Amino acid sequence: MSDGREVGQGELLGVAKDEERARSLLRALRTLSTGPDPKLRDMANGVLRGRLSAEQAFTDPEYTAALFSGADKVRRAGELRSDAEAREAGARFGEWQRARDAEREREEETGPEGRQQQDGASAERPAAHGGLGGTHGGLGGTQGLRGPGPLRGGPPRNRFGPR
């Protein structure tokens, strides 16, 4: 398909299994396509432009190594931050989650036509302060990298299914 257009959510359903995961994968690919790691930029742009299938990208040893390297850097950074920094990140993540949930509600009200127009990467992407490794169900597991935090009101939602 390498005709200059970007793949859509539907084209990622084979690897993502449902629309929400496909939407999340599309956002992640967009983020990686502009990130600092050249190998991940290449992989993400390849998938987004149709030069590479998602299945090929996620099974390629070089791309897999780059993904795990990035995740390891996030894990180490989370381990090195102070408790105050962890609480602050948790609060920012909570704010981001509320904004994301409000955006999803607006998308549900506008239907598929409005969703396509509003489906920008910035609606799902945490700000530059980093959203990974807080007290959510991301890379740090269901308890975050620092264990359960006082800012949460119940178990986190895990969009990626049971572990």
Side-chain angles (χ1 to χ4, degrees):
M1 171 202 76
S2 188
D3 59 5
R5 73 174 182 93
E6 183 178 277
V7 299
Q9 284 177 218
E11 295 166 282
L12 297 173
L13 281 173
V15 71
K17 306 297 185 215
D18 65 47
E19 287 189 28
E20 184 173 345
R21 290 178 187 173
R23 187 171 33 256
S24 180
L25 177 57
L26 187 56
R27 285 184 193 89
L29 288 168
R30 288 173 179 160
T31 299
L32 289 172
S33 74
T34 60
D37 187 301
K39 183 59 76 176
L40 293 178
R41 275 196 318 265
D42 179 57
M43 181 268 299
N45 282 314
V47 173
L48 288 171
R49 302 295 171 234
R51 294 186 309 267
L52 184 67
S53 75
E55 291 87 354
Q56 290 170 318
F58 299 143
T59 57
D60 181 282
E62 289 185 38
Y63 295 142
T64 303
L67 283 168
F68 281 110
S69 174
D72 190 50
K73 288 175 188 173
V74 170
R75 180 191 56 80
R76 281 192 308 251
E79 289 172 349
L80 294 175
R81 69 182 178 186
S82 70
D83 288 338
E85 290 170 323
R87 283 191 298 275
E88 181 181 334
R92 285 193 311 259
F93 181 74
E95 292 169 9
W96 171 79
Q97 269 187 322
R98 286 186 289 280
R100 181 200 61 194
D101 291 345
E103 178 66 24
R104 284 184 179 165
E105 287 177 19
R106 281 191 296 276
E107 285 180 359
E108 288 174 6
E109 291 173 1
T110 60
E113 299 81 26
R115 187 175 302 125
Q116 288 176 342
Q117 294 170 355
Q118 296 174 5
D119 191 24
S122 62
E124 275 289 321
R125 188 181 314 143
H129 47 68
L132 298 176
T135 56
H136 64 287
L139 292 177
T142 59
Q143 299 299 321
L145 295 174
R146 292 291 214 179
L151 300 174
R152 296 187 333 182
R157 290 186 342 174
N158 185 348
R159 298 183 309 177
F160 303 103
R163 295 191 188 241

